[in-house]
Each structure stands twice: as structure tokens, then as C-alpha cells.
Amino acid sequence: MIITVEALLEKPLVDEVIAFQTDTVYGVGCRIDSRKGVERIYELKGRDDRKPLPVLCADIEDARSLVQDPSQLEPYAARHWPGALTLVVKKSEVVGPHVTRGEDTIGVRVPDDDLARRILRHFGPMAVTSLNRSQEPSCRTFEQAKAFADRVDYLVEGGTAKGVSSTVFDVASKRVLRPGEVDPEG
């Protein structure tokens, strides 16, 4: 169902899967405590079920609650959040293995998009990945995202995202796992 953000915020979100614009690309996500929602995302995308899902947060306070050592986020978050930098760090017990696929790390990010942060502020941190079938281009526009409207519970009306995926940076090894437009050390 295509819906406005205002209407979405009036709905309960339990196991529902939603698609919405972020600062990088359109994302598809669910609450981090929803095993059913997470499995639906894997099915929708045809995603390798061993590959963890990143988590989007409304702000750094939310991100701190999901990681073992919040101080690891600080230098990068101060320079690049909100923004297109996903930081991989040791997860806290708040995040279940259904999101991380049994890994002890989590990728967290605060998007630089008012609509996305409004949704995240309301529903809390969400497991979110790009809206697309795996190995296909990510949706950048609302028109492209409409192709998935019948596969998600809610598609939030939006505009056009930048179209460049976030940089993924492993904080422990100081290694870029996926290049993007952000230089984590810059």
C-alpha cells in the first residue's frame, strides 16, 4: 500500500515491512525485534540468508544502545552522521541473531534524510537494506520503488535519493568493506 509518512506514523508496526526513501537509496525495513519482518525482507530481495542486515537509527543515541562499546562510534559519527557511513562494530545483546545472522557485529548508520529519521524516531531502530532484488540496481526514485508496492506492507511516498550506497567501514580493522561517497578517515 502506498502511504504518506503521516498516515504511516498512525499505524502500528509489528511485523510489517516498509519501504521508504533514505539519503542514499530507497530502503526496505522492519523493526529489529521482528523475526517475521526480517525473513520477509530476505525473501523479497532474494538475499543470501547468511548476509546480515544493517540497522538504521534516528540518532547517535539509538545507535549507542545497539553496540557494545559506543565510544567506537564517536569519532566517525561526529564527522559523518547523519550521513552515508555505515559503521560495523560489536553488537550489544539488544540486537538478535536474526538481524546479524549470528555474527557478533552490526552495521549501524544514521541517514541524512528527514523522512527516514522521522520514521526511525517514531518506530525505533530498524533493520533496513536497499530496496531491490539482490544483484540488481537499488531503487533511487519513488517511481522505481512503486515496482515493490505489492511486496511490502507500506511504501512511503517520497522523492529521489542520491543513488549512491553508503560506505561500509569496519571500525576494528579500519577497513572499508564497501566503498561509497564517504571517506571514513577523512
Side-chain angles (χ1 to χ4, degrees), residues 142-151 155:
F142 182 63
E143 289 303 312
Q144 292 168 337
K146 282 182 182 178
F148 291 88
D150 63 341
R151 303 196 61 206
L155 169 58

Side-chain angles (χ1 to χ4, degrees), residues 13 48 57 70 121 123 140 153 155 162 173-175:
L13 195 64
D48 179 344
C57 300
R121 234 180 259 104
F123 294 113
R140 201 176 139 258
D153 295 295
L155 169 58
K162 288 181 191 173
S173 69
K174 303 283 191 256
R175 217 169 37 114

Side-chain angles (χ1 to χ4, degrees), residues 124-143:
M126 297 179 74
V128 179
T129 186
S130 59
L131 180 62
N132 62 312
R133 294 283 298 160
S134 287
Q135 307 304 316
E136 292 181 5
S138 302
C139 294
R140 201 176 139 258
T141 67
F142 182 63
E143 289 303 312

